[in-house]
Structures are given as C-alpha cells and as structure tokens.
Amino acid sequence: MTEDTTGRWRGWRTAAEDALYGPDGFYRRPEGPAGHFRTSVHASALFAGAVARLLCRVDEALGKPAALDFVDLAAGRGELAPGVLAALPAEVAARVRAFAVELADRPVGLDPRVEWLTEPPKGITGLLFANEWLDNVPVEVAEVDPVGVPRRVLVREDGTERLGEPLSGAEAEWLARWWPLAPEEGLRAEIGLPRDTAWASAVATVDQGLAIAVDYAHTRDTRPPFGTLTGFREGRETAPVPDGSCDITTHVALDACAEAGATAANAEGTLPGARLLTQRAALRALGVAGARPPLTLASTDPTAYIRALASAGEAAELTATGGLGDFGWLVQSVGIPDPLQEP
C-alpha cells in the first residue's frame, strides 16, 4: 500500500477495497486468483463448454444477430473467454465479440479475439457472465452490540476489529429488509447494498440478452447468524486481514441482488425474468452431468471409457452437493425468454 493505514480504523468496505484493488492489492498480483483458489472455470473445461451452449441458446433467442456479445465480468486472468470461443460452433464463434473485464493488466498471450476492458461495454446484445464477482464487491459488516443495536464493524490493517457507530439510513433499511438481526450480542451480517448497486449497473449494460451472476450465496431464510467474512491465501482459508496478502470475501445475498437487477432490466419496459437456481441445476440443464459411463464401454472402447470417466469426474465436481454445485446462479433475462427455463 502506498499509504500507511496500519493503525487506522475503517469500515470493512473501505479496508477491503484497498486491500483487494488498491495499487498493491491482492487482485493486481501477477499470479492472479488462480494462484490462491479454484473456481469452476479452473476446475474443468466442461464449465466453459456449458457457458458456450448457454451462449448458443441466447443467440437463438436473439434471432442470430450479426454481432453476438460475450462478456466475462471479473475475468481473473482471462481463462473463461478463450474456452468459450473454442467450444462454440464455428458459425457462432465467427459472430462473437468477446470481452474480458478485469482491473488487472491484460495477460500476456491472451487470445487476440478477446478484448480486455476495465468495465463492461455498453449496449450488450448477448450474454454477460459474472463468475465469482459479487462476493468480491466489498461490503460493510455489522455486529449487534451488548444492548442489541447493530453497529458497523471497524478494522485495522492487521485484522483487529472493534465496533463503530450504529447503522443508519439506507444501510439500516437494507439490513432490516434483507438480513434482520435479533437483538442478541455478537450476531453479524454483511450489508449487501453495494452488490445490489453493482449488479443493477451490470444488468443495465445489457440491451438484450442474458445476465448471469454465479457465486457463493444465501437467501433471506438461510442467512448465517455470524456472517461469512473470510480470507483465502494459497489455496487455504485464512483469517481475513485487509493488508493485500489474501483474498477477502463474503457470500452474496443473491435474492437482494435479484430484485435490484430485475428493476434495472425493467427500466425500458422489458420482462424482468430474474430467477435463482443452484449451479447443479443450471449445469444439468446445460448438459453437464456426473453419471459414470457404462462398464460395457470399457471392453468395447477402453480409450473412450477412460475419457468419459474423467469427464464424469469433472462434471461431478462442478455439480457436487456441499461444493461447487451449491453455488447460486442469478439468471436475469433482458428482453428474451429465460434460456435455462424448461418450456
């Protein structure tokens, strides 16, 4: 960090913003997110293949436009977009304009067909896909004090915390509506208002098509009583310390984001169409299943059996209960039917 903030007390939103995205922040480090944690994109090429099939469905719903946009929001080091392009039929790939959106510098050797941006383009016709983005949009943390009042949690750069002022205004209203806390000392919540705003802004860039956010998530009836604030470093969960050395993340109140995105999509009178489902359900709708190949294939075509077995294992990881399969998918249609909705 360029400024000495070691002894300063700040809300978690400001502290995490600097620690993740400041000049020396975690997400600007050369190894990128893949050096510290494994996402669905890194787990298997099946994920990019599923997104490619989804993009084809969006293409059909749009009537096969001359230019079809694919926007990978929070692109890491650009792993997803080339995989999607490679998995598309040639006729569709020839019409795709691929964008990777990330604050870090463009990676060396990235497919030249992928345009590197620091914010989403305007006027998208196609698919905006945000995989594990919203959990890294920094938010304030609240904790109930000894007399039952929710207060802002303040933090120093070394991770030490104390309680600050009581919540008020829009933050208090959001908490009361989306994550009401009982007056019990120590209960915690994360104020998802910045994520609602960020998601609404992302949806507003889509003129026609689909916007999807994939993330660790909970809804109003499953909020964890002590919040979800945590850190990740070198593949391991660790204490969240806002010094730039680790990822800082909290799960996403996707139901609140869904309402904000639906409002943005409906600004021009289009059908809102916001829907929440698990990654397991979404990927199965896109043809990713973890079923093992029949044993008879092992005797008739051993090589094909081994390939099919490996693919089944990867599919099982992507759809696993208690793992990646439990991720939430927020699906927001803009002017087209939901291509993941069964007819």
Side-chain angles (χ1 to χ4, degrees):
M1 305 288 173
T2 56
E3 178 187 2
D4 181 11
T5 58
T6 304
R8 245 171 73 193
W9 292 103
R10 299 183 292 173
W12 266 107
R13 183 182 178 189
T14 301
E17 184 77 35
D18 286 349
L20 295 177
Y21 306 114
D24 301 315
F26 176 82
Y27 275 98
R28 297 186 185 273
R29 293 168 61 148
E31 71 271 19
H36 296 271
F37 51 85
R38 179 179 171 89
T39 72
S40 297
V41 177
H42 308 123
S44 172
L46 293 176
F47 191 77
V51 175
R53 287 191 290 279
L54 178 58
L55 182 58
C56 287
R57 293 187 187 184
V58 172
D59 184 43
E60 291 284 347
L62 291 170
K64 298 188 174 183
L68 176 66
D69 297 323
F70 174 67
V71 180
D72 178 17
L73 181 54
R77 294 303 178 265
E79 297 94 341
L80 180 59
V84 169
L85 289 171
L88 288 170
E91 184 277 326
V92 179
R95 292 184 285 110
V96 168
R97 299 186 301 187
F99 303 91
V101 181
E102 186 57 77
L103 291 178
D105 294 337
R106 180 187 180 95
V108 176
L110 181 65
D111 190 320
R113 294 175 294 175
V114 179
E115 185 173 349
W116 193 262
L117 303 174
T118 56
E119 59 183 33
K122 307 295 184 185
I124 295 166
T125 298
L127 172 62
L128 179 144
F129 197 85
N131 186 60
E132 296 195 42
W133 168 52
L134 288 172
D135 69 302
N136 287 126
V137 173
V139 294
E140 297 290 4
V141 177
E143 182 176 320
V144 179
D145 71 10
V147 296
V149 176
R151 293 178 176 269
R152 190 182 318 278
V153 176
L154 304 180
V155 64
R156 293 195 304 199
E157 192 177 293
D158 63 2
T160 305
E161 293 182 336
R162 70 172 175 84
L163 296 186
E165 72 278 12
L167 292 177
S168 61
E171 291 178 335
E173 292 171 7
W174 188 96
L175 190 69
R177 180 175 182 190
W178 293 108
W179 197 331
L181 291 172
E184 180 181 334
E185 183 180 3
L187 294 182
R188 287 171 72 125
E190 292 108 28
I191 312 299
L193 192 59
R195 292 170 175 175
D196 298 352
T197 302
W199 180 241
S201 296
V203 170
T205 65
V206 181
D207 277 359
Q208 193 173 25
L210 192 69
I212 290 185
V214 181
D215 237 309
Y216 299 96
H218 45 63
T219 55
R220 196 176 188 278
D221 57 350
T222 61
R223 307 285 191 230
F226 301 103
T228 61
L229 178 67
T230 191
F232 285 93
R233 182 189 297 113
E234 298 177 355
R236 297 173 181 266
E237 190 168 5
T238 186
V241 178
D243 61 359
S245 68
C246 66
D247 184 27
I248 296 171
T249 179
T250 61
H251 294 197
V252 182
L254 271 186
D255 47 351
C257 293
E259 180 174 293
T263 301
N266 202 35
E268 302 298 328
T270 57
L271 183 69
R275 189 160 68 99
L276 297 176
L277 65 163
T278 64
Q279 173 156 299
R280 182 165 46 257
L283 291 184
R284 286 177 178 170
L286 292 167
V288 177
R292 293 170 63 93
L295 282 173
T296 53
L297 184 62
S299 57
T300 59
D301 191 342
T303 302
Y305 177 77
I306 292 172
R307 286 199 302 265
L309 193 63
S311 179
E314 292 175 5
E317 181 182 1
L318 290 172
T319 59
T321 300
L324 294 174
D326 291 345
F327 270 51
W329 279 44
L330 167 51
V331 181
Q332 176 63 62
S333 297
V334 183
I336 64 170
D338 179 350
L340 283 171
Q341 185 79 57
E342 293 184 5

